Amino acid sequence: MESAPPYAYTKLWNQAKKQARLDDFRFHDLRHEAVSRLVEAGLSDQEVAAISGHKSMQMLRRYTHLRAEDLVAKLDSMGSTDLAQQQWTPR
C-alpha cells in the first residue's frame, strides 16, 4: 500500500483556513490545543505524553496552555470556606 506524500493535505488545509478566515493558524497549533484540553480533562502528564508522543515532561509542559477561567473554576469548586478553615502553619 502506497502512502500519501508528505504534506499532501496542504492544499486542502490552506483552502479550509481561507474559508474560515484563519490566516495565522498552523496545523501544528491543533496539537497545542489537544494537549491542553487533555490536561484540563484530568488526564495525568504521563497519559497525555503517551497520547501526544512527547518524550519529555519539559516539552509536554511547553505545549500545555491552561485557561485561566478553568483554573478559577477549579479553585472555586474547592470551596472558599474549606480553604478558610484550614489552619496555615509555617514550614
Side-chain angles (χ1 to χ4, degrees), residues 3 6 9 14-16 19 25 32 34 46 49 53 55 58 62-63 67 74 84 91:
S3 63
Y9 67 88
N14 288 333
Q15 287 173 348
Q19 287 179 344
F25 189 71
H32 286 271
Q46 288 179 326
K55 302 285 188 252
Q58 181 180 3
R62 190 172 169 192
Y63 271 76
R67 293 184 290 200
K74 193 173 243 186
R91 294 183 183 191

Side-chain angles (χ1 to χ4, degrees), residues 31-80:
R31 187 178 194 200
H32 286 271
E33 184 66 19
V35 166
S36 296
R37 298 299 97 33
L38 291 171
V39 169
E40 288 176 356
L43 274 71
S44 71
D45 287 349
Q46 288 179 326
E47 291 169 325
V48 175
I51 292 167
S52 66
H54 286 97
K55 302 285 188 252
S56 73
M57 291 300 123
Q58 181 180 3
M59 285 305 295
L60 178 65
R61 284 190 292 276
R62 190 172 169 192
Y63 271 76
T64 306
H65 304 287
L66 302 177
R67 293 184 290 200
E69 60 267 21
D70 292 335
L71 295 173
V72 169
K74 193 173 243 186
L75 287 172
D76 286 346
S77 72
M78 293 174 68
S80 57

